[in-house]
């Protein structure tokens, strides 16, 4: 089976890219399942019910998130009612929402999806290595096909987590830095890996935001308003081919698909 993972969708340009480019990618790669990180989909910060629904309607099956989860108040509605919506698993016990799910469909075996968040240069959640390993073993009682979104800043933390899970999950792909890395590979145990999927939105920017206010923030150390940028929209992520019988990854390729200027 073929799975597309879409890196952080940033604002309206990011949602437009998913809407307009996903149908073409679906036929080009014969996609069976689409997972997307939506943590920046509402104006670049957080996610609302409407933006989530727009992304699901565009063909995304499961949505993951990260440290921008709480930026929009109404995310609590999604956390409490939306079965296709994940938050990082490693919040303390009792926090609303879910960190993993199993996606069932008629055309392919069940697919487990797990969302974790790193702790290096990030808010201190529970240990993703301990929570993640336990959750993967729990998911493997249902299916061998498991995808992990590791939302983290440090490449060492992402690689270490993926190496720990090698042979136990089909793929670990990182998000959060918004910069697509070129280290896609399949580890010896059969786990596909990419340190960061990149982001889906305007790349004539600093990580999706207008350039000048960010320069001014760094130059002057004063707060600035960071609007979502406009130009050079790309849909970024990775397509992973998975052996349905074993759960092993057969292939991983990066995606960086431009949206036509007038789209
Ligand atoms: Fe992000
Ligand atoms: Fe993030």
């Amino acid at each position: 089976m073929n799975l597309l993972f879409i890196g952080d969708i940033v604002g309206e340009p990011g949602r437009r890219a998913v809407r307009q480019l996903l149908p073409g990618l679906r036929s080009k790669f014969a996609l069976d399942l689409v997972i997307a990180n939506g943590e920046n989909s509402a104006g670049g910060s957080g996610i609302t019910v409407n933006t989530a629904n727009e992304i699901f309607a565009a063909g995304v099956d499961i949505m993951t998130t990260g440290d921008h989860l709480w930026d929009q108040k109404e995310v609590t509605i999604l956390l409490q009612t939306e079965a296709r919506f994940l938050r990082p698993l490693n919040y303390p016990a009792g926090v609303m929402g879910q960190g993993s799910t199993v996606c069932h469909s008629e055309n392919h075996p069940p697919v487990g999806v797990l969302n974790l968040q790193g702790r290096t240069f990030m808010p201190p959640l529970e240990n993703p290595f301990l929570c993640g390993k336990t959750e993967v073993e729990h998911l493997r009682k249902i299916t061998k096909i498991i995808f992990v979104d590791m939302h983290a800043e440090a490449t060492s933390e992402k690689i270490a987590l993926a190496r720990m899970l090698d042979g136990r999950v089909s793929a670990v792909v990182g998000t959060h830095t918004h910069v697509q890395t070129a280290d896609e590979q399949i580890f010896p145990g059969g786990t596909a890996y990419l340190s960061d999927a990149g982001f889906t939105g305007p790349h004539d920017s600093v990580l999706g935001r207008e350039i000048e206010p960010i320069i001014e923030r760094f130059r002057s150390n004063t707060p600035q308003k960071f609007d979502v940028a406009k130009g050079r929209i790309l849909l970024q992520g990775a397509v992973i081919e998975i052996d349905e019988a074993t759960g092993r990854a057969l292939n991983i390729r990066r995606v960086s698909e431009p949206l036509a200027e007038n789209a």
Side-chain angles (χ1 to χ4, degrees):
M1 66 177 295
N2 295 307
L3 183 158
L4 169 66
F5 178 69
I6 300 174
D8 302 31
I9 299 167
V10 176
E12 188 281 329
R15 303 197 307 274
R16 191 172 2 127
V18 174
R19 243 182 13 244
Q20 306 219 1
L21 293 172
L22 190 48
L25 293 172
R26 189 180 296 283
S27 50
K28 181 178 175 184
F29 294 109
L31 298 176
D32 298 295
L33 192 75
V34 181
I35 302 165
N37 187 301
E39 73 154 6
N40 306 111
S41 57
S45 291
I47 184 156
T48 59
V49 173
N50 281 345
T51 55
N53 285 340
E54 185 183 337
I55 292 164
F56 288 130
V60 170
D61 298 293
I62 302 289
M63 196 177 309
T64 57
T65 55
D67 55 311
H68 284 287
L69 175 69
W70 306 100
D71 290 0
Q72 305 284 337
K73 272 189 192 150
E74 61 184 81
V75 76
T76 54
I77 298 168
L78 290 166
L79 287 166
Q80 288 168 322
T81 64
E82 178 53 73
R84 299 168 291 180
F85 187 76
L86 300 184
R87 60 151 168 80
L89 176 85
N90 48 322
Y91 273 90
V95 171
M96 68 176 76
Q98 54 179 357
S100 75
T101 188
V102 177
C103 187
H104 295 273
S105 84
E106 284 176 13
N107 308 322
H108 54 74
V111 179
V113 183
L114 170 58
N115 192 182
L116 294 168
Q117 186 169 309
R119 301 198 297 179
T120 306
F121 312 126
M122 307 269 296
L125 299 183
E126 304 290 349
N127 190 323
F129 288 76
L130 303 182
C131 302
K133 193 158 176 69
T134 303
E135 190 65 12
V136 163
E137 294 314 315
H138 172 70
L139 289 169
R140 280 182 68 90
K141 294 189 178 118
I142 306 164
T143 180
K144 287 179 178 166
I145 304 173
I146 300 171
F147 176 86
V148 181
D149 173 358
M150 174 59 168
H151 195 80
E153 187 77 49
T155 46
S156 59
E157 195 175 12
K158 297 183 193 189
I159 294 168
L161 182 106
R163 287 283 182 178
M164 181 187 75
L165 296 177
D166 183 22
R168 307 304 285 167
V169 302
S170 308
V172 177
V173 177
T175 52
H176 177 69
T177 72
H178 289 205
V179 177
Q180 188 176 68
T181 57
D183 60 338
E184 70 274 24
Q185 61 196 288
I186 297 176
F187 290 149
T191 296
Y193 178 73
L194 177 64
S195 285
D196 207 292
F199 80 94
T200 295
H203 281 246
D204 205 354
S205 69
V206 177
L207 310 185
R209 306 306 185 99
E210 291 287 6
I211 295 166
E212 285 306 324
I214 306 257
I215 293 175
E216 184 55 23
R217 216 280 287 277
F218 281 115
R219 201 193 61 77
S220 68
N221 289 87
T222 55
Q224 306 289 325
K225 188 164 179 289
F226 300 143
D227 288 328
V228 172
K230 297 179 183 68
R232 202 164 75 84
I233 298 168
L234 300 175
L235 185 155
Q236 291 195 317
V239 173
I240 300 138
E241 186 188 350
I242 299 165
D243 181 343
E244 292 192 358
T246 63
R248 292 173 73 106
L250 301 170
N251 189 34
I252 175 166
R253 56 196 289 180
R254 274 179 285 138
V255 171
S256 189
E257 193 80 7
L259 183 67
E261 281 293 311
N262 55 0

